Amino acid sequence: MILSAALAGWMSLGCLQANAADMTTVNVGIANSSSDVAFFIADKKGYFHDEGIDAKFIPFDSGAKMVAPLGAGQLDVAGGSPSAGLYNAVARGIGIKIVADKGSTPPGYGYQPLLIRKDLIDSGKFKSLADLKGMKVAGSANGSASTSTMNEALKKGGLKPADVERLFLSFPQHVLALENKAVDAALTTEPSASEAVRRGAAVRFMGDDEIYPNHQLAVVLYSSTFAQDHHDAAEAFMRAYIRAVRDYNNALSNGKLAGPNAAEVISILTEYTSIKDPETFRTIVPQGTNPDGKLNLASLQTDLDFFKSEGVMEGGDVSLDKVVDASFAEDAVKKLGAYQPQK
């Protein structure tokens, strides 16, 4: 009996070692933000493990800093912005592909609102988008997708980009800049947007779901090396990701994390991000993410055209068909079947 027990233990250990050996390590660049939520869900709930993926999360200050390591194959996957920097990299021959939706602004999910300083609203100095003229407006980075959002806001106010002074700061710095009256307005993503409102520094004037509905603000990126040379692992990663995105969608209700699966998703967010207060996630406006990973190609094209008009493209022939590869998400949906909302 002792020999049998020892043999069973040895065989069990051998299976565990074999399973570990079969796992494929995938280096994933993250911004440690709430829009990384599907990566976190897939890790926490074992979806990556089920697909033989050992996901290693590597934090970055911004999506722009992930482009070079992606092109060099140091990162396999990243969650980033469809920015001018990304398109410039592709134009230079760096192999990066946009493969799935990671964050967008369907109606009710304007997670990067236009904030206006509260004193400007209270005094009546700011009443409409036309009042942005001559103001200092904070954004995240020149050539980022949010600059295209600002362009749409200015157009609605009958203005042009030259009519405002743009300052590029990290999102937490937006809160301080609004408090210190260093800027008049800001396009700020969650949770910094809610923090600025909570402190009384700003008013949420308009959600970006109103300014630029269904804007493709964040995407999943694959390095070409991962997509081509490790195709099976790239497909497996996407299946795990889509499963997690569907769990995330089951946590959404009426523009909040208030759906049937909200408690579980909020618990995962408090574990994986620096925000440990569950109430913060209950009050913010979350991003939309398509349960099938579908990209808004029209939005991507609008942004690319804007970047070209702004002169932030370095030259070279780049078009969406050279950057986008939707086949991984499409294949994942075929294998997983249709999305079934949780009731």
Side-chain angles (χ1 to χ4, degrees):
M1 290 178 64
I2 294 173
L3 179 61
S4 297
L7 181 60
W10 177 83
M11 291 179 65
S12 176
L13 178 61
C15 289
L16 288 173
Q17 290 173 336
N19 288 338
D22 291 341
M23 301 292 282
T24 299
T25 299
V26 177
N27 293 319
V28 184
I30 61 169
N32 270 330
S33 67
S34 60
S35 66
D36 291 319
V37 61
F39 293 154
F40 301 150
I41 293 171
D43 185 58
K44 179 66 175 180
K45 298 190 71 174
Y47 297 161
F48 285 139
H49 186 276
D50 292 347
E51 295 286 354
I53 299 294
D54 180 17
K56 302 293 188 185
F57 296 141
I58 303 171
F60 286 79
D61 291 340
S62 69
K65 293 183 180 179
M66 302 180 201
V67 172
L70 262 176
Q74 296 166 343
L75 288 178
D76 302 301
V77 180
S81 167
S83 64
L86 169 64
Y87 293 120
N88 283 330
V90 173
R92 295 194 302 270
I94 295 175
I96 302 174
K97 294 292 184 182
I98 296 174
V99 294
D101 172 32
K102 182 172 176 279
S104 53
T105 61
Y109 293 89
Y111 74 109
Q112 185 179 250
L114 175 64
L115 302 178
I116 306 296
R117 265 190 10 229
K118 190 173 185 298
D119 62 297
L120 297 177
I121 296 288
D122 292 344
S123 67
K125 186 175 180 180
F126 191 97
K127 296 178 181 177
S128 72
L129 292 173
D131 295 325
L132 285 168
K133 188 170 183 177
M135 289 190 167
K136 293 181 179 180
V137 183
S140 57
N142 196 19
S144 67
S146 65
T147 60
S148 186
T149 306
M150 177 51 64
N151 184 54
E152 295 299 317
L154 293 171
K155 287 196 297 186
K156 290 180 184 299
L159 304 174
K160 298 178 181 179
D163 290 324
V164 298
E165 181 182 347
R166 293 181 292 179
L167 290 82
F168 299 110
L169 308 166
S170 68
F171 292 122
Q173 288 178 313
H174 290 194
V175 181
L176 296 175
L178 288 162
E179 276 189 319
N180 298 331
K181 300 184 179 180
V183 298
D184 304 302
L187 271 172
T188 307
T189 194
E190 294 286 14
S192 295
S194 289
E195 180 63 13
V197 173
R198 187 189 70 80
R199 293 192 191 184
V203 171
R204 188 187 296 264
F205 182 76
M206 184 178 290
D208 53 344
D209 58 322
E210 301 171 78
I211 297 169
Y212 190 164
N214 299 302
H215 187 192
Q216 190 67 67
L217 264 176
V219 293
V220 178
L221 304 168
Y222 277 1
S223 73
S224 289
T225 301
F226 183 58
Q228 296 170 8
D229 299 345
H230 305 281
H231 194 82
D232 288 348
E235 288 188 331
F237 186 96
M238 186 58 67
R239 286 193 295 271
Y241 174 75
I242 294 297
R243 286 179 69 188
V245 165
R246 292 177 172 188
D247 282 357
Y248 171 70
N249 271 267
N250 288 332
L252 300 178
S253 179
N254 299 318
K256 296 289 183 182
L257 284 170
N261 202 33
E264 180 182 50
V265 169
I266 289 172
S267 175
I268 292 171
L269 281 167
T270 57
E271 178 180 347
Y272 280 76
T273 72
S274 61
I275 299 170
K276 302 305 179 185
D277 179 14
E279 192 59 31
T280 299
F281 291 110
R282 294 189 185 100
T283 57
I284 66 171
V285 178
Q287 80 277 2
T289 307
N290 187 280
D292 292 335
K294 288 183 179 179
L295 293 155
N296 186 333
L297 296 180
S299 171
L300 291 174
Q301 187 63 58
T302 295
D303 288 2
L304 179 56
D305 291 342
F306 172 69
F307 298 148
K308 291 177 179 179
S309 72
E310 281 282 276
V312 292
M313 300 295 292
E314 297 172 356
D317 182 26
V318 62
S319 56
L320 286 186
D321 61 349
K322 293 184 177 181
V323 187
V324 174
D325 183 352
S327 65
F328 293 98
E330 291 168 354
D331 288 345
V333 170
K334 287 178 183 177
K335 289 181 173 63
L336 294 174
Y339 167 58
Q340 300 294 333
Q342 185 176 335
K343 297 180 180 179

